[in-house]
Amino acid sequence: RVVHVPNNRFLLTPVMVENLTGEYSAHLVKVHLPPNADILKAEALVLAAAGRHCAPFYAEAEQHMTKLRNEQAIDTPTVAPRTRILLGEHGQATIFLRVVVPFRDKSRVEQDILHDFLEKVTPQIWPKQKAW
């Protein structure tokens, strides 16, 4: 198959190859925190939720990624969930969570992680915003 993409699209729009690694792929989840959130506690909750929902895939995903590294010389991501914190204006933070999940289940796993996180978050970690 051939895909034609105009050159200006590469300059104006991010381009991603979704399933380069086959059945399992790295998936990025962004969690934007409100001002005055406890960033490190929120990060710990996100990682715990990711661990719970991704643990069933660890062994099979690790085998899959090891096979890709050995057979195709692809630098594959580690299977364990990883986070990065980006600090924005006015102290607002975004947590970037990278998980390795089955390609076909990435949206479901993302929603499971976010629901788990939101069920466990407290007002001290995620302050309520004042109404208009």
Side-chain angles (χ1 to χ4, degrees), residues 87-103:
L87 294 176
E89 295 181 26
H90 311 293
Q92 289 180 306
T94 301
I95 298 171
F96 290 89
L97 170 69
R98 196 246 327 127
V99 292
V100 174
V101 295
F103 182 74

Side-chain angles (χ1 to χ4, degrees), residues 19 30 66 72 77-78 82-83 94 114 123 127:
N19 62 350
K30 295 180 198 175
T66 300
Q72 298 182 19
T78 58
R82 302 267 191 227
T83 57
T94 301
L114 291 174

